[in-house]
């Protein structure tokens, strides 16, 4: 036991607080959102030193309670809830640690074994200038260790029989439990996808498990608490496996990419009330038979014949003697690792808004929102009626479905009715990207509620909220969020509807920063970045991850292997993740070095994508390659500094300088003009810090000139667009920023909004009044990449940004501009919720800002004159918790402690 027993600590905290009771306003703090490895109460943690995090919230927001901060914490981890309740951390008692850190505190207690249950809480000592030493306990939280040793797995991979005619099988195992059950856990995974039932009830609420990985390298397993589903006596564990990413169709013609037949691995571990244990594992004793699912595939859809249903397939006591024995598969061992990310779940449901029949019997439902998931069908029809559901994002002018842009993804679900009343069906192992659904085969006009959209996505916690005075921008924001929701499905995909749906790296890197504002994607990227490193070849990051045969080493696509981990580090302060990926990041830089000539990335790379989908602006590909080579090198130098690798830091700083020199020599003229003279050239050069100081203004002017010459239009594709507004904002060109942002003629962000988009389109001209639909060979209406302006909407327009890693120090710099009169936004950062709300009226500007406890902020108030700035009605310079620092670029800059502030100023 450490010097500071929890009790003594608590007593000491309380005494300190009691001594200070004369202070009138003691800030009421609460410790909320306790997480282990980014997840709430996770089961199946493989990290042997899991990291714990919490957030401090302040309940009273009185001005004199400003500056609430954590001065110390104590974590207790116990092996039972009872011990924790008695403040006994038998696994770990951190002792009182004087620290303001509240994220990713590494467990440092007794070694943790497989299955260990860990119950924890944290006591936080908060201080503020108004009140000292307030101890606050979090509510108890927990985590449970997974199966850490290969030996822990006794289960065998099993599969059904009769492939390929009967591709989807039921599997079941009957067993008897001799004694009352105290605890039961199901560990399960599949090569393919699985669903498990116990005694007729569905286990868990995951829609697609396991996640998409390179199954030859690692398979993620899930853990479920199934204690309440089992009882003494007869029980049954039953399930289904489907092809999924493993052996169904995946993007660009991939089929049976990882294997031919899906397989299940299941291990049920029961602890009886007397402490003895028993395991029921997948093996040759399992039984199998065909299921009513005739086929199921991500791209093709699902076929289901309800006449083949057997009600009792998943019930105990069912006679399965006619079923066949499951095949045991001799799989090559691969790493079984636990689910470390938010799984794919149902996010919400969308009722149909309207129904039309553009052709007789073709009932077309409009859900009003382009979405990803599937339809739940509710019908009454005679036995044998075959109903067909087709899906599309858009309609032809005659009201029928436009499906050409799905290419070979037929996206058709069929259902054959069993008859006899209302039937409800939703598919099992498929998803579609759609707004419109066509139902055919019904005997009569279906009711509007025959079709409900079930939205599925990786269930990342929503963290961002944004609204402003322009409804078109609010729709744009909604489109960005729906783009992320639809495409963050196990991995970050490019699109959810056509036969592609791949983890395109360029798309991932341009959007990752925006994604971090919209929802908590730390765990999502923690998992996917492992896949990124798994796919790396000889140092070259692949163009898609999981790597499924596409190219590698492509500028701006491969660079995702550096940009994504750095962004996650910046946003969440996750140094462990950075350290884990650092070796792969370095390999990429060295690969780029070898594949350059004089540090200019090779010109003969045929397959580069350039500034993908730009509009009439041809940015030289070697220039993009060299610019990104420089930027990634710079980021690696920064990573090295963070990780204390000073030699590497110096080495890559030097290389960054050398690449910059090569870039300037090769591409930049004395008047600041850059070869290619596209917007993308200038954006990259400015964003990546490639130009000498004296050239920056010149380059910015070339950029402005090009935008003006195009009638205030952008011309950039995926690569340039994510930095367009940030670069112009930093250069102080706010006039141009707002003209571009509020532009609604082609090409612009609001062009698609004007034409009814409910998601971000892949192309600026996916549809135009003049030409109709773009080339169906590549025309998705749900690609998030061009929505990468979301980052600017939060960091600049609303003014919520981090100043250093992990939102410990904040940068609050709202950017008012012509055409928008108010913005209200909030962001649940890893350090707590930040909020801004600003308004303009003529010269008057006002800002309400919330700086969460335990953080400090630099707040920039737009004004020409600091004397005009007030806070809560008084001169800002005199306000509690604020310190005026200087005037800078048309703003008064203050240092602020945590709290809520109400500013006004004259601009
Ligand atoms: C994808 C993109 C991807 C691109 C590579 C397309 O087919 O949909 O989003 O980045 O190929 O240029």
């Amino acid at each position: 036991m450490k010097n500071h027993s929890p009790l003594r600590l608590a007593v000491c905290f309380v005494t300190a607080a009691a001594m200070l009771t004369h202070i009138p306003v003691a800030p009421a703090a609460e410790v909320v959102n306790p997480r282990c490895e980014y997840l709430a109460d996770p089961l199946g943690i493989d990290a042997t030193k899991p990291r714990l995090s919490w957030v401090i919230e302040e309940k009273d927001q009185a001005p004199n309670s400003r500056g609430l901060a954590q001065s110390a914490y104590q974590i207790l981890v116990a092996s039972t809830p009872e011990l924790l309740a008695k403040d006994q951390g038998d696994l770990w008692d951190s002792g009182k640690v004087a620290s303001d850190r509240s994220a990713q505190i590494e467990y440092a207690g007794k070694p943790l074994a497989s299955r260990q249950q860990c119950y924890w809480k944290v006591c936080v000592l908060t201080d503020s200038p108004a009140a000292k030493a307030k101890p606050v306990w979090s509510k108890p939280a927990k985590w449970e260790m997974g199966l850490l040793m290969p030996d822990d797995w006794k289960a065998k991979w099993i599969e059904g029989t009769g492939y390929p005619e009967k591709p989807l099988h039921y599997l079941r195992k009957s067993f008897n439990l001799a004694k009352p059950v105290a605890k039961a856990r199901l560990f399960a995974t599949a090569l393919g996808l699985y669903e498990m039932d116990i005694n007729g009830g569905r286990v868990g609420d995951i829609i697609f498990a396991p996640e998409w990985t390179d199954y030859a390298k690692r398979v993620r397993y899930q853990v479920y608490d199934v204690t309440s589903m089992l009882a003494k006596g007869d029980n049954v564990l039953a399930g289904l496996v489907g092809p999924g990413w493993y052996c169904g169709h995946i993007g660009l013609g991939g089929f049976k990419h990882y294997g031919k037949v899906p397989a299940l691995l299941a291990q049920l571990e029961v602890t009886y009330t007397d402490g003895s244990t028993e395991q029921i594992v997948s093996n040759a004793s399992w039984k199998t038979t065909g299921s009513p699912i005739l086929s199921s595939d991500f791209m093709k859809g699902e076929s289901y014949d309800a006449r083949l249903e057997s009600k009792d397939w998943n019930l105990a006591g069912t006679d399965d003697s006619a079923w066949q024995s499951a095949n045991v598969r001799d799989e090559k061992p691969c790493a079984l690792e636990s689910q470390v990310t938010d799984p794919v779940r149902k996010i919400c449901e969308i009722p149909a808004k309207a129904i039309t029949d553009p052709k007789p019997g073709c009932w077309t439902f409009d859900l009003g929102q382009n979405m990803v998931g599937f339809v739940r069908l509710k019908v009454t029809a005679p036995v044998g009626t075959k109903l067909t559901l087709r899906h599309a994002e858009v309609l032809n002018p005659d009201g029928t479905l436009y499906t050409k842009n799905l290419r070979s993804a037929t996206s058709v679900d069929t259902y054959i009715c069993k008859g006899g009343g209302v039937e409800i069906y939703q598919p099992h192992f498929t998803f579609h990207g759609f707004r419109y659904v066509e139902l055919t085969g019904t005997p009569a006009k279906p009711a509007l509620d025959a079709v409900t959209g079930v939205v599925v996505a990786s269930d990342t916690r929503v963290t961002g909220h944004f609204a402003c005075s322009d409804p078109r921008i609010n729709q744009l924001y909604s489109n960005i969020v729906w783009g992320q929701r639809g495409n963050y499905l196990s991995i970050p995909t490019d699109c959810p509807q056509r036969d592609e749906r791949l983890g395109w790296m360029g798309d991932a890197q341009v959007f990752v920063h925006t994604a971090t504002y919209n929802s908590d994607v730390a765990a999502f990227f923690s998992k996917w970045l492992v896949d990124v490193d798994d796919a790396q070849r000889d140092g070259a990051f692949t163009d898609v991850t999981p790597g499924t045969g596409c190219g590698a080493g492509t500028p701006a696509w491969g660079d995702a292997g550096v940009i994504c981990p750095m962004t996650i580090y910046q946003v969440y302060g996750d140094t462990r993740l950075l350290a884990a990926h650092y070796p792969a990041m370095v390999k990429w830089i060295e690969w780029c070095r070898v594949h350059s000539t004089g540090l200019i990335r090779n010109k003969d790379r045929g397959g580069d994508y350039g500034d993908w989908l730009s509009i009439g602006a041809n940015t030289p590909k070697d220039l993009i390659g060299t610019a990104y080579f420089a930027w990634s090198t710079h980021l690696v130098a920064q990573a090295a500094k963070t990780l204390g690798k000073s030699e590497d830091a110096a080495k890559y700083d030097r290389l960054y300088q050398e690449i910059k020199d090569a870039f300037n020599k090769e591409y930049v003229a004395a008047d600041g003009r850059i070869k290619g003279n596209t917007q993308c050239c200038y954006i990259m050069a400015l964003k990546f810090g490639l130009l000498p100081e004296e050239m920056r203004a010149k380059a910015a002017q070339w950029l402005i000139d090009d935008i003006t010459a195009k009638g205030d239009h952008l011309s950039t594709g995926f690569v340039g667009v994510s930095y367009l507004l940030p670069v112009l904002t930093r250069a102080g060109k706010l006039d141009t920023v707002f003209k571009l942002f509020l532009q609604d003629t082609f090409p612009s962000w609001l062009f698609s909004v004007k034409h009814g988009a409910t998601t971000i389109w892949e192309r600026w001209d996916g549809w135009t009044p003049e030409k109709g639909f773009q080339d169906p060979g590549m025309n998705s209406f749900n690609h998030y990449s061009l929505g990468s302006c979301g980052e600017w909407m939060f960091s600049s327009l609303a003014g919520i940004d981090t100043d250093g890693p992990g939102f410990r120090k904040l940068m609050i710099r709202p950017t008012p501009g012509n055409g928008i009169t108010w913005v209200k936004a909030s962001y649940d950062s890893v350090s707590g919720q930040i909020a801004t709300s600003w308004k303009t009226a003529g010269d008057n500007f006002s800002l309400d800002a919330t700086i969460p406890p335990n953080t400090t902020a630099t707040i920039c108030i737009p004004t020409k004159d600091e004397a005009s700035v007030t806070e809560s009605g008084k001169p800002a310079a005199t306000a509690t918790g604020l310190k005026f620092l200087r005037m800078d670029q048309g703003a008064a800059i203050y240092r602020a402690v945590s709290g809520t502030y109400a500013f006004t100023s004259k601009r």
Side-chain angles (χ1 to χ4, degrees), residues 252 407 494-495 498 500 504 506-507 557 609 612 718 762 778 783 785:
L252 300 182
R407 303 193 308 214
D494 57 335
C495 58
R498 68 172 178 235
E500 195 146 359
W504 281 99
D507 309 40
W557 269 252
Y609 312 119
W612 187 243
F718 283 21
E762 175 176 26
M778 223 190 64
H783 249 65
S785 297

Side-chain angles (χ1 to χ4, degrees), residues 826-845:
S826 66
Y827 171 55
D828 275 327
S829 77
V830 69
S831 302
Q833 192 184 70
I834 307 155
T836 60
S837 173
W838 62 254
K839 270 199 270 243
T840 55
D843 277 357
N844 295 323
F845 174 82

Side-chain angles (χ1 to χ4, degrees), residues 33 35 99 141 170 183-184 194 199 248 298 337 339 491 510 630 684 730 778 802 839 861 885 895:
N33 203 7
R35 279 149 300 145
S99 165
Y170 285 145
K183 170 188 156 196
Y194 73 90
N199 298 327
F298 280 148
E337 290 176 9
Q339 171 90 20
I491 61 159
V510 299
M684 287 186 303
R730 189 167 163 216
M778 223 190 64
T802 186
K839 270 199 270 243
I861 303 296
L885 298 179
R895 169 73 24 83

